[in-house]
Amino acid sequence: MYQIIDGKRISQEIKDELREKVAVLKEQGKTFTLAVIQVGNDPASSVYVGNKKKACAYIGIESLSYELPQETTEDELLKLVRELNNNSAVGGILVQLPLPEHIDEEKVLLTISPAKDVDGFHPENVGNLSIGRPGFVSCTPAGVIQLLKRSGIEIEGKECVVLGRSNIVGKPMAMLLLRENGTVTVCHSRTKNLKEITRRADILVVAIGKPKFVDASYVKEGAVVIDVGIHRNENNKLCGDVDFDSVAPHTSAITPVPGGVGPMTIAMLMSNCMNGMPK
C-alpha cells in the first residue's frame, strides 16, 4: 500500500513551528514586514495573494498590500519596488506573477533587492544556491524537500529524476536534491528515451506543466512520486502532471493534487520571511 504525502498537514506543522519562532523574536523586539504587490485583478492571483496575507497574519508577521491597476506602467512598478528596497521597515518584497504583458517580468524581478527576494528568484539567490551559500531558496522546490524529509523519505544516495527544467522549479529542485546528496538527473521535453530515464528514479519529481503527462509506464515500482503540476481538467477539477489513479498503486509514496505540493509553497514563503528576520 502506498503512502499519500499530506501537504496540508505538513504545511500546517511548518506554519505552527514558524509561529512559535516568530513570537519569540517579536518578544525581543524583532519584526518582519512582507510587501506584496499585485498588478491587475487576475482571479487566481487574487486568491494566491489573499492566502499569502492570511499566512502572514497566522505566523505573526506584518504584510503590506499594493493592489495596482492593470494599466500600471513598468516604470511605476519599478519605482515602487525601488522605494520598498530602500524602506528599512520592509524585510521582504513579493511581486505576484504573472504580470500584465506590457511589463517585463525579468526586469521587475531583477530590480528586487536580493536581500528582500523572499521568492528566491533573483539570480544572486539562485547563484548562492548553486554554490552552496546561504540565501533565499525558491519556495516550491524547498517545499518538496520538506515533504520528503517530514515523510521519512531518505534522499541521500537515491537516484532522483526531475522532469522539467524551469528556473522556478526544475533547476532549483535539482540543486536542492544535490545538496541533500541525491544523485540527480534532469529531464525535459527534448529528452530522448524519457521513460527509460524516469523509470530509474527512486524519487521522481514531475514539473513538466502538462496535465496527467506521467502514467504508470514512466514509474519504477516502489518509487516516490512528487507531482508539482496543477491544472483544471475537462470537468474543471484540479489535477496534476501525474495521472494519479494509474501511477499511485505502483509507488511507495505519492503527493496528491490538490493537497500535496501546493500548500507547501506558501509555508516555505513564510519560512523565508522568518529566516529574513533579524536574529
Side-chain angles (χ1 to χ4, degrees), residues 138 140-141 144 162 164-174 205-207 228:
S138 188
T140 300
V144 170
V162 179
R165 56 176 168 177
S166 72
N167 291 334
I168 292 173
V169 180
K171 290 174 187 172
M173 188 75 254
V205 180
V206 185
V228 180

Side-chain angles (χ1 to χ4, degrees), residues 49-265:
V49 166
N51 288 340
K52 287 164 185 172
K53 289 193 279 194
K54 281 181 201 165
C56 285
Y58 184 80
I59 74 159
I61 66 173
E62 300 297 318
S63 64
L64 294 173
S65 185
Y66 295 87
E67 290 160 5
L68 307 179
Q70 180 81 12
E71 56 274 15
T72 298
T73 67
E74 185 179 285
D75 284 346
E76 287 168 337
L77 178 55
L78 292 173
K79 181 171 180 276
L80 173 59
V81 169
R82 291 188 188 104
E83 286 170 1
L84 293 170
N85 282 342
N86 294 324
N87 184 344
S88 60
V90 172
I93 302 169
L94 186 153
V95 177
Q96 183 64 41
L97 303 179
L99 289 168
E101 286 183 4
H102 65 277
I103 296 176
D104 183 340
E105 283 185 3
E106 185 178 7
K107 191 183 285 188
V108 173
L109 295 177
L110 282 170
T111 302
I112 297 171
S113 164
K116 297 188 179 188
D117 166 43
V118 286
D119 262 332
F121 293 163
H122 193 283
E124 187 173 313
N125 284 319
V126 175
N128 284 336
L129 172 62
S130 71
I131 60 173
R133 291 181 59 187
F136 290 121
V137 176
S138 188
C139 301
T140 300
V144 170
I145 296 294
Q146 286 299 313
L147 283 178
L148 293 168
K149 287 184 169 182
R150 289 170 183 254
S151 300
I153 295 162
E154 184 76 31
I155 302 170
E156 184 168 339
K158 295 289 179 66
E159 186 94 26
C160 304
V161 174
V162 179
L163 182 46
R165 56 176 168 177
S166 72
N167 291 334
I168 292 173
V169 180
K171 290 174 187 172
M173 188 75 254
M175 295 288 182
L176 287 172
L177 289 165
L178 274 173
R179 193 162 81 177
E180 298 296 331
N181 299 314
T183 300
V184 183
T185 303
V186 179
C187 301
H188 45 80
S189 57
R190 303 293 179 87
T191 300
K192 293 178 180 175
N193 306 318
L194 184 59
K195 289 184 182 181
E196 198 177 293
I197 296 167
T198 59
R199 279 201 300 262
R200 294 203 311 250
D202 302 310
I203 299 171
L204 176 61
V205 180
V206 185
I208 200 163
K210 297 178 181 177
K212 297 190 176 183
F213 179 84
V214 169
D215 61 24
S217 66
Y218 286 82
V219 179
K220 179 170 83 171
E221 204 68 31
V224 174
V225 176
I226 305 291
D227 187 354
V228 180
I230 188 155
H231 315 275
R232 291 215 175 256
N233 67 13
E234 60 279 2
N235 301 318
N236 205 35
K237 286 191 173 177
L238 290 172
C239 67
D241 288 353
V242 175
D243 183 358
F244 183 92
D245 291 339
S246 81
V247 169
H250 300 280
T251 68
S252 58
I254 187 169
T255 57
V257 176
V261 174
M264 297 299 293
T265 301

